[in-house]
Amino acid sequence: EQDPRGSELAEAIAEELAPRTSSYFQVFVSDDEGNKGQVLNPEEPVYGEHYLPRKFKVGIAHPSDNAVDLRSQDVGLLPVDGEGAVWDLWSGGGMGMTHNKPETAPLLGEYLGRVRREQVVDAVRSIAILQRENGERKDRRQARWKYTIRRLGVDAVKQELRERFGIALQDGEPVPLPPMELHLGWHTQADGRSWYGIPVENGRVGPVLRKAVRRAVDELGLTVRCTGQQDLMLCDVKDRAALEKILAEGRVKLAETVSIARRNGMACPAKPTCGLAMTEAETILPSYFDAIEEAGLGDVDVVVRMTGCPNNCARPPSAEIGIYGYGKNDHVILVGGSREGSRLAHELFPRLPGEQMIPALVGLFRAIKEHNTEGLPVGDFLHATDPALLRKWVGIEEA
């Protein structure tokens, strides 16, 4: 498969959007008395005097893998061809919301058009400047670009990109978004060497895995990459048997020993690590998968994502089954997102107590296995099924 050189593009965008002056870093630096010191150069060519009102994220997908969930980003990019000469430009996504604030919501990025590679970095910088100039600075809940672009209007933003910034934005139909891929197990690299994907539950590299990876790197000269699903890839393998021996001696859990449901799962750290979290996520999702596997449902191929609050860092609103915290021990359950990140999930249980989570999820997995007789992608099946009927199958009709 051709390489669209997304890594090179990511590095170019990061370099272009990096702060240019010491004044940016001095925002975060002070002495013991709280003095920030002399600002050496306050001129910031992209961010200006006041910087951006909120964070600004850029995601670049591969033609066969949308693990970055590009429509959940402030700017999302997908190569139109294998050479990476032309890119589809999406903008205005974001998964965060605030409970009981209907003016906030998860939103998917809008399609702006196609841009040639030589103007992609300019297009991203231009969107950042539009956010700097027009982003909401008084109400933090409305400060993300996803609200700014809708307030300005997508057509107005496209006009600005073309006329003010000189971006040769081409109208057209976007190429279909690829699904999320896991990249686990053995794969052959373009240079003839191999890489091996190891599942890492919720991205938490524990002592056992850390020790084995360190040994593999030291003894076999491997490189390590992290996937968009928070798993690890051990790359540049010349001797597969030698790596398998190290992993076996290190008691590393390999992909074939982990259920597909657990492999697909993702959770944010939440409690007790994150001060914003209302509930647990990373510490409790494994117990949900334990119950699902004990019920004989671990082979149901469904993407579950969970967060401890509606900031939705693990992106439950675009998952096939999404969960986020509400109050001390309650959770919202969403269903019906797509593996391509092209559709948001809808509420199945607006507020479910913690003690009902395992029965609800086991019932939901069982309903998928028993009633998805047409073999639809799970997200499509859950999206099309009437919520009342689905709750009846689950066995919990009142949230």
Side-chain angles (χ1 to χ4, degrees):
E1 186 172 1
Q2 291 179 304
D3 179 11
R5 303 172 75 173
S7 295
E8 292 181 16
L9 179 58
E11 290 174 3
I13 291 172
E15 182 177 356
E16 179 66 24
L17 297 186
R20 295 287 194 273
T21 66
S22 62
S23 60
Y24 180 86
F25 300 102
Q26 286 178 322
V27 170
F28 306 98
V29 177
S30 63
D31 59 23
D32 292 340
E33 284 72 42
N35 300 313
K36 294 188 178 296
Q38 180 67 38
V39 175
L40 301 180
N41 184 356
E43 295 300 321
E44 186 64 64
V46 175
Y47 301 113
E49 182 180 356
H50 300 293
Y51 313 122
L52 299 183
R54 287 290 299 275
K55 63 183 177 182
F56 189 85
K57 303 192 295 181
V58 181
I60 302 172
H62 188 272
S64 63
D65 180 15
N66 188 26
V68 299
D69 212 352
L70 69 86
R71 289 191 67 186
S72 72
Q73 313 287 343
D74 293 284
V75 178
L77 295 160
L78 178 68
V80 173
D81 57 14
E83 298 291 339
V86 181
W87 293 74
D88 273 341
L89 177 64
W90 298 81
S91 191
M95 296 289 99
M97 58 167 287
T98 303
H99 286 306
N100 303 314
K101 297 289 183 181
E103 67 274 17
T104 68
L107 295 170
L108 294 178
E110 301 280 354
Y111 183 62
L112 298 185
R114 290 181 175 175
V115 183
R116 294 198 62 81
R117 169 64 180 85
E118 54 266 27
Q119 282 200 311
V120 169
V121 176
D122 293 337
V124 176
R125 182 186 63 245
S126 300
I127 293 171
I129 290 172
L130 289 173
Q131 167 66 341
R132 181 198 73 198
E133 295 174 346
N134 299 282
E136 172 61 50
R137 294 183 181 273
K138 294 182 179 179
D139 183 355
R140 191 172 185 275
R141 294 190 180 99
Q142 292 293 309
R144 287 292 300 274
W145 169 247
K146 66 177 179 177
Y147 299 120
T148 307
I149 189 174
R150 287 163 173 84
R151 188 170 65 251
L152 297 175
V154 173
D155 289 340
V157 169
K158 291 167 67 173
Q159 184 176 356
E160 283 278 281
L161 291 175
R162 288 180 173 126
E163 297 180 3
R164 175 182 169 188
F165 296 101
I167 306 299
L169 199 61
Q170 305 169 23
D171 290 324
E173 290 296 319
V175 297
L177 300 181
M180 175 270 289
E181 296 288 347
L182 291 179
H183 307 292
L184 300 177
W186 280 115
H187 298 264
T188 302
Q189 297 176 189
D191 60 6
R193 291 181 289 183
S194 302
W195 54 266
Y196 188 79
I198 301 175
V200 183
E201 192 161 19
N202 300 321
R204 182 68 64 180
V205 180
V208 171
L209 178 57
R210 188 183 305 116
K211 183 178 180 180
V213 169
R214 168 52 60 192
R215 181 186 169 194
V217 169
D218 289 343
E219 295 184 12
L220 304 180
L222 308 185
T223 56
V224 182
R225 294 190 180 186
C226 184
T227 76
Q229 191 67 11
Q230 303 184 130
D231 297 319
L232 290 182
M233 295 164 55
L234 303 184
C235 305
D236 304 320
V237 181
K238 296 179 182 178
D239 188 340
R240 290 190 176 192
L243 177 58
E244 289 174 345
K245 181 174 183 291
I246 290 174
L247 296 178
E249 291 176 354
R251 303 188 307 279
V252 173
K253 289 185 179 179
L254 305 181
E256 55 269 24
T257 68
V258 179
S259 73
I260 183 62
R262 194 182 294 264
R263 276 180 266 166
N264 285 335
M266 181 189 292
C268 74
K271 283 186 173 181
T273 305
C274 177
L276 301 176
M278 300 177 180
T279 63
E280 294 178 276
E282 178 192 343
T283 55
I284 200 170
L285 184 59
S287 67
Y288 295 166
F289 285 128
D290 289 343
I292 289 166
E293 291 162 1
E294 288 170 7
L297 300 166
D299 61 340
V300 178
D301 188 3
V302 56
V303 173
V304 180
R305 300 190 190 124
M306 182 176 186
T307 60
C309 80
N311 288 305
N312 291 325
C313 294
R315 310 189 311 277
S318 62
E320 292 173 320
I321 297 177
I323 307 163
Y324 60 86
Y326 193 140
K328 280 189 174 182
N329 190 38
D330 291 349
H331 306 270
V332 178
I333 297 183
L334 313 169
V335 296
S338 75
R339 202 163 294 199
E340 298 77 22
S342 58
R343 181 180 60 235
L344 291 176
H346 58 267
E347 284 188 358
L348 181 66
F349 295 107
R351 192 165 181 174
L352 200 65
E355 54 269 22
Q356 288 189 288
M357 287 297 295
I358 286 178
L361 290 172
V362 170
L364 190 51
F365 269 67
R366 183 172 288 112
I368 294 166
K369 189 165 188 175
E370 294 179 355
H371 295 283
N372 186 17
T373 55
E374 297 180 17
L376 297 172
V378 169
D380 293 353
F381 167 73
L382 294 173
H383 176 71
T385 303
D386 179 73
L389 178 60
L390 191 53
R391 285 191 291 269
K392 183 178 179 181
W393 289 338
V394 169
I396 301 175
E397 297 193 38
E398 294 292 332

